[in-house]
Amino acid sequence: AIVRARAFYSRDPRFSFILLPENVGKRKAQIAAIGQSSGDLVLNVDSDSTIAFDVVSKLASKMGDPEVGAVMGQLTASNSGDTWLTKLIDMEYWLACNEERAAQARFGAVMCCCGPCAMYRRSALASLLDQYETQLFRGKLSDFGEDRHLTILMLKAGFRTEYVPNAIVATVVPDTLKPYLRQQLRWARSTFRDTFLVLPLLRGLNPFLTLDVVGQNIGPLLLALSVVTGLAHFIMTATVPWWTILIIASMTIIRCSVVALHARQLRFLGFVLHTPINLFLLLPLKAYALD
C-alpha cells in the first residue's frame, strides 16, 4: 500500500516522501517527518487508518485557538463487522471517545490524543522533541506509548488538548484475542508509566481530571481485588458469592442501557459481553503491566 501511495503521489509537488533506511519505530519516524516539515500544523495518521474528507479542516479549525497544542478526532473500527471482537472494540472506541475524551475536553485536557489521527501545533512540537525522543523505560529508550506521552508533554508545556467528535477516523482493530491483548498490555503500561508525569499537572487542572486519572489507575485494581475476594470466598466456603455477581451484573446492565440511550443505538446492549473479558482477561493483564 505504501509503495502504491508513493507511486501515485510522487509527482505531486505538494507531497514529499521520506524513506528511512530501516524500520526505526513510530517515534523516530515522526521526528524525522516533523524535522523536515514546514507547516504550522502537523497531522499524524497511522498507516492502518482512513480519515474522512473533512477531518483536516475540522481539526485545523479547532487549532485556530493558539492555546490548543493538540487535537484528536473520533475513532471508529473500519473492520467492525469482521468478528464479535471487532464489534466490541468499535463500541469500546465510541465510549473512550464520546465519554472519556469528550469529558476531558470540557476542561481542555484530553489525556491521550490517539495515534490513528491527531493534529499538533508544529511550534509546540519543536520545543518538545528532545524530551519526546529521549524518554526512557527501565533504562532503555521507550518504544511504546508515544501518543499518550506526546499529549502529556503538550499539557506540561501549558497547551490545551482537545477532541472533535465529528472528525471521523476509521482504523483497523485486532480481530482476535491475542493481538488485542498485546495491544492492551502496551496501553496499560503506557497509562501507568505516564501517570507519574501527569501527577504534577493535576494541581492546576480541574478536580474532575484528578478523579479521572485516579479512576483509570486505581479503579481496575479495586475491581480486581473484588474479583479475587469473591474467588477466595468461593474456595474457602464452597459457596458462590451471589451478591458480588449480582452487583457486577446489575452495574453492567445499567451501564450498557444508559450508553444505548445516550448513543441511541441498541447495539450497546451487547457491550455486556465486554464485562467477562474485562474481569478475566484485561484485569490480570493490567496487573501484569505493573511488573
Side-chain angles (χ1 to χ4, degrees):
I2 295 176
V3 174
R4 290 197 302 270
R6 186 187 177 205
F8 186 81
Y9 292 106
S10 59
R11 297 181 182 179
D12 191 325
R14 298 174 300 171
F15 294 89
S16 176
F17 286 83
I18 302 171
L19 297 181
L20 301 176
E22 59 181 347
N23 185 351
V24 294
K26 177 177 178 177
R27 192 177 306 230
K28 288 188 178 298
Q30 283 178 313
I31 292 170
I34 293 166
Q36 296 190 37
S37 66
S38 59
D40 294 334
L41 304 176
V42 175
L43 180 69
N44 180 91
V45 181
D46 282 353
S47 60
D48 59 359
S49 302
T50 305
I51 63 175
F53 74 95
D54 56 355
V55 163
V56 174
S57 60
K58 287 179 177 177
L59 296 184
S61 177
K62 180 67 72 170
M63 296 290 283
D65 182 346
E67 294 186 357
V68 177
V71 61
M72 65 168 286
Q74 180 177 175
L75 306 184
T76 64
S78 59
N79 57 332
S80 61
D82 287 0
T83 67
W84 63 271
L85 181 59
T86 59
K87 290 182 174 67
L88 285 180
I89 295 174
D90 186 54
M91 288 185 275
E92 188 177 12
Y93 278 13
W94 191 95
L95 291 166
C97 289
N98 294 293
E99 288 193 343
E100 180 184 306
R101 301 307 197 277
Q104 293 169 349
R106 290 182 67 88
F107 309 103
V110 172
M111 292 297 174
C112 180
C113 289
C114 299
C117 185
M119 182 174 284
Y120 300 94
R121 189 171 303 281
R122 186 177 180 280
S123 58
L125 281 177
S127 64
L128 301 173
L129 285 186
D130 286 344
Q131 298 178 65
Y132 182 51
E133 184 175 14
T134 57
Q135 184 190 25
L136 299 178
F137 180 68
R138 294 179 176 176
K140 298 180 180 179
L141 289 175
S142 176
D143 60 355
F144 67 93
E146 295 88 359
D147 309 322
R148 183 176 295 275
H149 184 57
L150 191 53
T151 305
I152 291 175
L153 288 178
M154 282 287 178
L155 290 170
K156 286 182 66 178
F159 290 95
R160 294 168 61 89
T161 53
E162 297 282 358
Y163 166 62
V164 180
N166 60 352
I168 308 299
V169 182
T171 187
V172 178
V173 301
D175 56 3
T176 59
L177 279 174
K178 188 175 180 178
Y180 173 65
L181 293 178
R182 283 201 303 265
Q183 178 195 68
Q184 293 298 308
L185 179 60
R186 292 196 308 272
W187 289 0
R189 282 178 171 161
S190 173
T191 299
F192 291 142
R193 180 193 62 189
D194 287 324
T195 292
F196 293 102
L197 284 175
V198 81
L199 287 178
L201 294 172
L202 295 178
R203 287 176 295 179
L205 299 176
N206 189 281
F208 166 82
L209 295 166
T210 300
L211 179 63
D212 183 53
V213 169
V214 171
Q216 283 191 40
N217 290 273
I218 304 299
L221 300 180
L222 293 177
L223 182 56
L225 181 61
S226 299
V227 173
V228 170
T229 301
L231 291 174
H233 176 83
F234 174 73
I235 292 171
M236 296 176 64
T237 66
T239 58
V240 178
W242 290 111
W243 277 111
T244 301
I245 296 173
L246 182 61
I247 290 174
I248 292 176
S250 300
M251 291 178 64
T252 299
I253 293 172
I254 293 172
R255 160 90 163 138
C256 293
S257 299
V258 170
V259 174
L261 183 63
H262 177 204
R264 298 181 181 179
Q265 298 180 38
L266 289 176
R267 66 178 179 129
F268 283 98
L269 296 177
F271 199 65
V272 295
L273 296 176
H274 190 267
T275 295
I277 294 176
N278 188 34
L279 291 176
F280 301 112
L281 292 177
L282 297 184
L283 286 180
L285 191 77
K286 290 177 180 179
Y288 178 70
L290 289 169
D291 181 24

